[in-house]
Amino acid sequence: MTEFLYYRGRVALHAILRGLGVGPGDEVIVQAYTCAAVIEPLQRLQAVPVYVDIDRTTYTMDLSRLAAAVTGRTRAIVVQHTFGTPVDLDRVLKIAGNVPVVEDCAHITEPAERGPVGRTGVAAFYSYEWGKPVIAGVGGKAVVNDERLAATMREQYAAYTPPPSRREAVMTAQFLAHQVATELGVTWRLRALYRRLSRLGLVVGSYAADVAASPEYEWRMTRSVRRRLPRRTARARKQLTRRAAVAARYRAGVTRLGFDVPTPVTPPLRVPVAVPDKRGLLDEAARRRLEVGDWFTTPVHPLTGADLEAAGYRPGSCPNAEWAAEHVVSFPVRADISPHDVERGLDLLDSPDTGEGPRILSGPFTDAQIRAVAEMHATEVAHGFLSSLGVPALEVLYRHVADSRHCALFLAVDGGRPVGYICGSLDTAALVREFIRRRWWVAAPALLPRLLRPGRIFRAIETLRYAQAGDDLPRAEVINFVVRPPVRGAGLAQDLFERLMDWFSEHGETAVKMVTGEQQRRAHGFYRKVGAELRGHTSIHSGAASRVYLYRTALRQQNPQTTP
């Protein structure tokens, strides 16, 4: 195995194809639903791209169509591990026969140990630009597994030169700007600005204006990228476990919502999902400030019209690729994606903002939304102890609930107006301890004026005792559950309940308790309807009887009426 470092990933592909002797008129098989960067090297070599359609399940090349594309003029097959989903390389090699196979590993984190991906074909190429698994700056690498090809490329590599000093400085500045944007969490929001600046020539863009004249295809990797690449690669490998957890959360949620997603053997770069209204969903994602990818937007992203035809693509030739370009969005799989970020993405898929009917949100919540939750609590649970503390105190409590890792809060809105909510805790005692430790200085001004009465102090002590009490019931608990009267009876309560039970299930909870006042007849009827069992009676506050229900989350598969 021999490695060569080039200015970009596409320069590495160009060097590989050049080393294989690809020239004018030769055919190179590529998949549609790809990037123009893959086609640029073919255009520079004056080779003919032969597009093979994709499989709608994996978004990688449909191998049942590959054999028909191979002809006597085929000089190479480039297989793309789209979104990080590996192609069936054994099957590719059987179909290819003596035709060299090159792997596009731009969406793959190169493993520390040898494996099939990146090591099966005669060569593979990687990219380290923005949006890739390893971000080290503009740069690319060729990993050559065939000794004869490596010898040829070694001779040719001697003619490659470092980029000019000015370009080196510009690329270093762009990388530093990307790092700052990443720390601020605004990288993806600056994509449109980056594209505009690249068109104006103020930054180095992603695509060459004139492929044939571009000097980039004669350059090696910049010195700064070469220095930082080992460190960035090692960091990316350490993050694979966290990325795998993010991908698993997405897969579980997306599958639960009824969407099909590929099953990569390693953490993918992105989780692709086909949606009915791609443009509408992307617009809604922008409104919610959610990071959702639009690529690939055409069979050869981002080319359209005459540029697409100039790249050798014939409209209608790859219907699956065109369908995917029209319908597929993708969610990022990075180590810094939190469970909350994943839940927001799933909310987007589950409840696009069509303006019709209630939607259920999982945050982040605005101050106005938290205040609405506090007001619903104060008015709909008017006789409870917490309601007696007033809306300002309840706002502090619900802000903590919304931010706590022990809790989940789901808010139902209709036409932008909050109409119900449900919240639950994995461990109420831990929640209370966390609240006292982290929020006492905020809570004190709101709570003390209300608590400085003998009766309320005693009830506060009773509440704390309840939270700390140990019994044979599960710690997981529904804290509060409200649906406003105008929207009751429309199934919203059941939808909210299911969302919270899904959250408990995802956190490994098999049973959840609900404690509800004896006078809350509507709540008792609802819990009986969803299959909760009455486990007994309790009294959180003296003179106020409550019922204790137990709900086993496994019942959701057995009780169809609880399915939203």
Side-chain angles (χ1 to χ4, degrees):
M1 180 185 73
T2 307
E3 297 182 354
F4 300 95
L5 303 179
Y6 297 94
Y7 181 72
R8 290 185 188 267
R10 73 201 65 175
V11 179
L13 174 59
H14 176 269
I16 293 168
L17 296 177
R18 183 174 168 227
L20 290 171
V22 174
D26 289 337
E27 293 180 353
V28 176
I29 294 175
V30 296
Q31 75 166 56
Y33 197 60
T34 189
C35 178
V38 176
I39 308 305
E40 273 191 18
L42 279 64
Q43 293 175 313
R44 187 175 175 94
L45 293 166
Q46 300 179 46
V48 178
V50 176
Y51 294 96
V52 174
D53 207 354
I54 60 168
D55 183 312
R56 286 198 185 194
T57 302
T58 64
Y59 306 110
T60 59
M61 186 181 289
D62 184 348
L63 300 185
S64 66
R65 302 170 188 258
L66 176 58
V70 179
T71 71
R73 291 185 296 173
T74 304
R75 292 292 173 266
I77 299 171
V78 179
V79 292
Q80 174 180 298
H81 303 303
T82 314
F83 299 124
T85 300
V87 180
D88 185 343
L89 293 166
D90 289 339
R91 189 176 172 193
V92 170
L93 292 180
K94 289 178 182 178
I95 297 170
N98 295 325
V99 178
V101 174
V102 179
E103 295 179 62
D104 178 350
C105 293
H107 295 182
I108 295 287
T109 303
E110 187 179 9
E113 300 179 359
R114 287 183 66 88
V117 175
R119 306 291 191 269
T120 300
V122 295
F125 66 96
Y126 295 82
S127 176
Y128 305 109
E129 300 185 32
W130 340 117
K132 300 300 191 295
V134 178
I135 300 176
V138 172
K141 179 171 72 174
V143 176
V144 185
N145 304 310
D146 181 87
E147 286 303 321
R148 287 190 299 175
L149 175 59
T152 301
M153 290 179 64
R154 193 176 294 111
E155 291 179 8
Q156 295 171 343
Y157 192 71
Y160 287 78
T161 61
S165 298
R166 182 176 180 278
R167 179 61 69 94
E168 175 86 41
V170 170
M171 299 318 302
T172 299
Q174 282 189 213
F175 177 78
L176 293 175
H178 177 273
Q179 290 301 101
V180 171
T182 299
E183 290 298 322
L184 295 175
V186 297
T187 306
W188 67 276
R189 299 178 195 170
L190 299 179
R191 287 179 300 186
L193 175 62
Y194 171 76
R195 291 167 182 170
R196 284 197 296 271
L197 293 177
S198 66
R199 285 195 295 269
L200 294 172
L202 300 178
V203 299
V204 177
S206 298
Y207 305 102
D210 185 345
V211 177
S214 175
E216 295 181 358
Y217 285 86
E218 300 170 359
W219 292 342
R220 298 183 181 186
M221 183 181 285
T222 63
R223 290 182 291 274
S224 58
V225 175
R226 193 165 60 245
R227 283 195 300 269
R228 72 174 71 98
L229 181 58
R231 182 175 68 255
R232 303 290 293 187
T233 301
R235 179 185 178 187
R237 288 169 179 163
K238 289 180 181 178
Q239 293 175 339
L240 285 174
T241 300
R242 276 184 287 172
R243 285 181 54 209
V246 172
R249 285 183 180 275
Y250 268 124
R251 278 190 54 79
V254 169
T255 302
R256 185 184 74 241
L257 294 175
F259 296 95
D260 293 324
V261 289
T263 309
V265 295
T266 57
L269 175 64
R270 305 186 76 85
V271 173
V273 183
V275 298
D277 180 11
K278 179 175 181 176
R279 185 68 267 158
L281 186 137
L282 290 171
D283 289 344
E284 175 64 10
R287 190 184 71 79
R288 299 190 193 186
R289 298 184 178 181
L290 272 171
E291 179 181 358
V292 181
D294 63 348
W295 44 286
F296 302 109
T297 59
T298 77
V300 185
H301 177 87
L303 305 181
T304 59
D307 291 335
L308 184 59
E309 293 191 27
Y313 183 81
R314 182 170 52 84
S317 60
C318 297
N320 289 340
E322 294 176 16
W323 167 86
E326 184 71 21
H327 293 285
V328 173
V329 298
S330 59
F331 294 85
V333 179
R334 297 192 308 270
D336 63 348
I337 301 293
S338 69
H340 183 66
D341 295 328
V342 174
E343 191 63 38
R344 292 183 66 211
L346 297 176
D347 279 346
L348 180 70
L349 289 172
D350 192 27
S351 306
D353 190 6
T354 61
E356 299 177 0
R359 295 183 298 117
I360 297 176
L361 310 178
S362 65
F365 300 109
T366 65
D367 290 340
Q369 288 170 334
I370 292 296
R371 184 173 182 83
V373 170
E375 289 173 346
M376 281 189 279
H377 185 136
T379 56
E380 303 299 330
V381 196
H383 301 294
F385 164 65
L386 292 179
S387 297
S388 71
L389 300 179
V391 171
L394 288 170
E395 280 190 72
V396 176
L397 293 171
Y398 278 107
R399 172 57 63 192
H400 182 70
V401 166
D403 293 340
S404 174
R405 63 188 177 87
H406 299 291
C407 297
L409 171 64
F410 295 99
L411 174 66
V413 297
D414 190 1
R417 182 174 61 92
V419 293
Y421 72 91
I422 191 170
C423 58
S425 170
L426 297 171
D427 187 333
T428 303
L431 172 66
V432 170
R433 289 194 298 269
E434 182 186 61
F435 178 79
I436 294 172
R437 185 175 68 253
R438 292 176 51 189
R439 301 272 180 171
W440 67 267
W441 57 277
V442 178
L447 291 174
L448 287 179
R450 295 277 184 162
L451 286 176
L452 293 179
R453 299 177 187 178
R456 285 184 181 165
I457 291 177
F458 182 67
R459 296 187 79 185
I461 293 172
E462 288 179 324
T463 301
L464 291 175
R465 283 177 177 171
Y466 164 74
Q468 302 294 333
D471 50 38
D472 60 348
L473 293 171
R475 292 182 179 273
E477 179 175 8
V478 176
I479 299 175
N480 215 337
F481 188 7
V482 168
V483 175
R484 286 193 183 277
V487 294
R488 289 175 183 169
L492 185 58
Q494 199 147 314
D495 290 347
L496 284 166
F497 185 78
E498 278 296 317
R499 288 298 294 274
L500 183 60
M501 293 306 111
D502 285 342
W503 181 81
F504 279 126
S505 294
E506 289 166 6
H507 285 76
E509 300 294 338
T510 58
V512 181
K513 68 182 175 184
M514 293 83 74
V515 179
T516 230
E518 190 67 44
Q519 76 278 13
Q520 300 293 326
R521 295 182 179 180
R522 181 179 293 273
H524 300 314
F526 176 83
Y527 290 139
R528 287 195 299 268
K529 177 183 175 183
V530 296
E533 57 180 290
L534 180 63
R535 287 297 298 268
H537 298 77
T538 188
S539 181
I540 299 174
H541 303 294
S542 59
S546 295
R547 297 184 187 183
V548 181
Y549 290 91
L550 184 69
Y551 180 82
R552 302 187 187 280
T553 56
L555 291 177
R556 288 177 302 151
Q557 281 70 45
Q558 302 169 14
N559 189 352
Q561 68 178 350
T562 65
T563 302

